[in-house]
Amino acid sequence: MRYDNLRVAIVGTGRISDLHAIAYRNNPKARIVALCDRDPELARQRAVAWGVPDARITDDYADILADPEIDLVEILLPHHMHLSAALDAMAAGKAVSLQKPMCVNIEEADRLVEAARDAAAPVKIFENFIFYPPVTRAKALIAEGAIGTPLTIRIKSNPGRSATAWRVPRGADAWRQDLAQSGGGPLVFDDGHHKFALAWNFMGNPEEVHAFTGETARPDGYILDAPAMVSFRFPGNRMGNLEIVYSPELEIITRHYAQDDRIEITGTRGVLWINCGHGRLGNPAPLAVYRDGQVTTYHDMETGWEASFVASTQHHIDALTSGTAPRLTPEEGRDILRFALAAEESHRTHRPISLV
Amino acid sequence: MRYDNLRVAIVGTGRISDLHAIAYRNNPKARIVALCDRDPELARQRAVAWGVPDARITDDYADILADPEIDLVEILLPHHMHLSAALDAMAAGKAVSLQKPMCVNIEEADRLVEAARDAAAPVKIFENFIFYPPVTRAKALIAEGAIGTPLTIRIKSNPGRSATAWRVPRGADAWRQDLAQSGGGPLVFDDGHHKFALAWNFMGNPEEVHAFTGETARPDGYILDAPAMVSFRFPGNRMGNLEIVYSPELEIITRHYAQDDRIEITGTRGVLWINCGHGRLGNPAPLAVYRDGQVTTYHDMETGWEASFVASTQHHIDALTSGTAPRLTPEEGRDILRFALAAEESHRTHRPISLV
Amino acid sequence: MRYDNLRVAIVGTGRISDLHAIAYRNNPKARIVALCDRDPELARQRAVAWGVPDARITDDYADILADPEIDLVEILLPHHMHLSAALDAMAAGKAVSLQKPMCVNIEEADRLVEAARDAAAPVKIFENFIFYPPVTRAKALIAEGAIGTPLTIRIKSNPGRSATAWRVPRGADAWRQDLAQSGGGPLVFDDGHHKFALAWNFMGNPEEVHAFTGETARPDGYILDAPAMVSFRFPGNRMGNLEIVYSPELEIITRHYAQDDRIEITGTRGVLWINCGHGRLGNPAPLAVYRDGQVTTYHDMETGWEASFVASTQHHIDALTSGTAPRLTPEEGRDILRFALAAEESHRTHRPISLV
Amino acid sequence: MRYDNLRVAIVGTGRISDLHAIAYRNNPKARIVALCDRDPELARQRAVAWGVPDARITDDYADILADPEIDLVEILLPHHMHLSAALDAMAAGKAVSLQKPMCVNIEEADRLVEAARDAAAPVKIFENFIFYPPVTRAKALIAEGAIGTPLTIRIKSNPGRSATAWRVPRGADAWRQDLAQSGGGPLVFDDGHHKFALAWNFMGNPEEVHAFTGETARPDGYILDAPAMVSFRFPGNRMGNLEIVYSPELEIITRHYAQDDRIEITGTRGVLWINCGHGRLGNPAPLAVYRDGQVTTYHDMETGWEASFVASTQHHIDALTSGTAPRLTPEEGRDILRFALAAEESHRTHRPISLV
């Protein structure tokens, strides 16, 4: 199936929907035509802000699915609602963009994968970070041999605070503290999805995962699963690590979440660093490579975090209008979910988790 | 006991002895008066190179211990010989500087600790890295509150190759491949001692250690225990990680071993980086701190790796001439040995190792 | 005189007016109420883009001056029209913001200074660069003694090309090639005003100026007065230099003009660098200080070039609503004009020009 | 004429001779066989330090010239003695290495150039800075097109103080304050020679030179010709600038003179920086290039200032043993002398000096 012009409904108009909307608003092949939220007032604010002139606003998801003038449903709901919302959209023949993580456990993911195989329209699991321009540039450099064969990956998630961060309504996030709704911890599982997707993006599926996971309360009482040290083995004598640490007084330079994200990939011949993501500590080069006595830094790319959303959505529009597969496919989304769930399970069971 | 002027015998005149000798040669309170090696020709070369005019050279350690004109024995022997050499020196009333790791297992370490308690002269376990000027400066900055309370530490050991590295005689290192002589792998245990000492230096003793450890052959057939991902938990919700990766074609800028060493310490308020050790990738700032929107780099210190040996020996001379305790004490050396051995055991047993 | 709420007319709605408008659009104490341009269609586009709902659009400046509902006139016209436009606005009792350079020669500047002394409302010469956040932060750091006493200043203007620069309509700039309209060369005099203002901002008025000035054609035929090397002496054994060089294939990272701007100030105790302006080469720290073996970089400030316009306008709104003097005063503007004109004269006469 | 094995006499065994001696001591094709100094005790100390076993030490230059066992005379005398010492050496058939600046005025230089044309053995003017590894690497990169065509060069000399600098005997330098002996100021003329040689090395001979030159006393009373701003035009619309500024409390990281030296070369396509010389502010990359949105730093080279002396002497040994021309030739030395003298003359006459 191939679309000429995408009519998009955004389901869930919370904080993050601002970044999902950008590419739809700027691409002539797509337009946002409907908004759905349990809080219609919130949806209305978005409609005005986005200059969506004829948006139909509803608090009933069934309205969206029943509307023949909608091609694509962008699902931005709490995690535990992902499966049923996606299954319903597939049943209604809609193309689907489903926010990561696709589901809250593997059983759900299996059902979604199976349903997507028979669906009339394609399903994309929306993972922005692997579309972040420094990440895609890094992947291209590695493919060109910039660091030889990658041997290890190190990822760091370091949330802090920021005078310039955007504001996230406190209540809107409450469901993330309920494991039944979220599926896992806010840093190892929810934000962790981005990081495990990055590890998968550069190194493939892991064979074994081990996690030490702590617990820290933010000043507002919100409980974080930090610090955490997650280690993983990949086939072929390759390894990786995710360090998560919450620094309550670390001032982050950002317009989005107050979090520093870093990636270091060590290869047989060189080392590559991606030095920013949600925010920055100072203004390090977004992308740097050491090799053969030379350090090269790359600056001719967008580095705002929103660029990862724009590129992910842009890729989706291209896939739907050209009839190619979206990225992540549901199968890929399940692989990353399994990776993240293994970190959760290792913490619970106090042992490394095999994935082979 | 307090010494006015130290007469030093160096026992084992291999590659590393060059760095141990520097401070003795430049400090008026000490002088090298005797050398012992099973290869007297090697010892003779060192005597000439060091301009040690009246060095007595022997291949019999008993000669050293019987010599009343020797105050301090610097033991630079294969690990499995450490215990007996140190016990004999203590019995002979000599002050001892014993190269890390102090012994090959905890039972040996316990015997050494006990013997040292009753010895007439003090015993120092020689660990140079915690005396490396960027490390001591980092410790002072942290004590002043530069990054708030340290929460996590990340250490990386990345050996490669180097056109400018010093030459290590291949044969001289053969014993390191025999676990009975070395006590553990060349990177996780032998070089790892430096890294666990650093983790201990900044964070104290760990409660739990987990390791994934691989195996890689160097072009010359030497087997390395790399890559490895060692994670550890400290009391009080603090954690750490040691990443070891061998990059056969990574060109390192060094005059010593071809290895890049990095440390990152994340605190409640800031992040601190130590960016060099044996060698360098490019010439990053030796020490950097991020805090409150500012990055400060520190340059007014020695950064050559030999400076860590000079400072460690200098500290020892000061301790012996002032009658204060050397660092590491045998008890401290045993703590670090236990840390390193836990990483080895986790790998063997495929589970995290508790140290509490 | 003190204003509660500023009603602003923008006179000249070309490329640069976008940056002048930002602060008026975001400050509740001001609003743009009228636009004037010889091309009413251009003015109409701006009105729509700025969301100026009730803008009165005219191509007749007299309409603006006759309108009692206008408090402040922002004059963004070709340089040779500055004097008469400003004199007329003063005569009409309007507050004035006059784009730099205030006039095309000193005689004109003298008339303007004199008229402003008797004017009912204050006159500001609009120079954005001295309000650029890295510049104001640098000035504050120097005042705190960060580099001791400043001894020399070095400024570099390096235009190139850029895939991401904004588009400047070719025709709109044609008057800049006519000395009678522009008053001087595009880089030494027009853009140079910013640089001489920066030199003045940090070092005061010069005593002597010398310039070597070359000539280079851009690919589009536009003639640039580059390269140029302008040197200047300040009282008290202090000096400065402005290097201008046009690099036709130098790719600049920018959203505005394709130009790299750098400042280096050397003091008795330290050195300070401002590393960006219109654009960037890579992403150097916006502001860095070396002193006492430490380099500190500062990142907690806006670095987009538009921030200089926002801060300059914001300062003006504050001055007008609080009744304090705007910066630049006409006298200050004349000082900077004299500085720039001395560089032009030195080139013409092949000798250093004394300003004392 | 071609030499198999160079027997070298060093004439003048002051501070700088240490750096001249290094390459002779390490090259099997050369050896230092005689030393000459008016202070034989100083010469004797050097002989011991250099391990020159059979050095013949004299305070009479005639002894050196009469000795048939000497091939090459390295002249390290005050500037006003250069001409006669070099002429005498040529007359005695010796190969000559004459420290920069070759003479104290152009008339002397002309005589030396002429005499060298007829001399039996070649004459090298010793200028170390153009052999500094970051400089030769920069030149090679530019030749490969790294920055397109060079358009401007900016050089900075910034002496300060340093806790780690070498010690220069105060008395030994007194002659440099006497213009008749030195030929020009310590920074514009004497150290300036290095900088004008660098400008010439990258850009060729200038057409016009202008200088503003101030005067500052060091705490020890020594008078420096600082600050200074020297500008120059090269043929083909290219330009350059030398900024000299003395910062009495600027702490420089160095083992030699307490001075920061920087070079920036701007080309049609890129910009290149050389960030160290005698010393450093922090540890910037020794060599960096910006082009096409990427910054590359180069680290696989020696950066100690002594490396420039070693490479210059090494080049000389190669030239003499292979029969090729040394660099600088006397003609080249004269070109650079003229460049430096023009800066001096511009200051005296208050006008730009034409050199065409």
Side-chain angles (χ1 to χ4, degrees), chain D residues 67-79:
Chain D
D67 187 338
E69 305 292 307
I70 290 172
D71 303 305
L72 170 63
V73 176
E74 180 97 8
I75 300 173
L76 303 174
L77 299 171
H79 306 159

Side-chain angles (χ1 to χ4, degrees), chain A residues 208 231-233 237-239, chain B residues 184-189 196 209-216 224-231 242 244 340 342-348 350:
Chain A
E208 204 171 4
S231 302
F232 20 97
R233 285 197 312 99
N237 217 17
R238 298 171 305 132
M239 295 190 181
Chain B
L187 291 172
V188 175
F189 181 75
F196 295 116
V209 178
H210 176 269
F212 286 129
T213 306
E215 194 176 291
T216 311
L224 294 175
D225 44 348
M229 283 287 171
V230 188
S231 302
L242 167 61
I244 298 171
E344 295 277 317
E345 186 184 352
S346 174
H347 168 55
R348 274 198 313 277
H350 270 80

Side-chain angles (χ1 to χ4, degrees), chain D residues 95-110:
Chain D
V96 174
S97 170
L98 178 60
Q99 174 76 328
K100 52 57 58 180
M102 65 195 293
C103 299
V104 296
N105 58 47
I106 285 294
E107 296 67 36
E108 284 193 1
D110 286 340

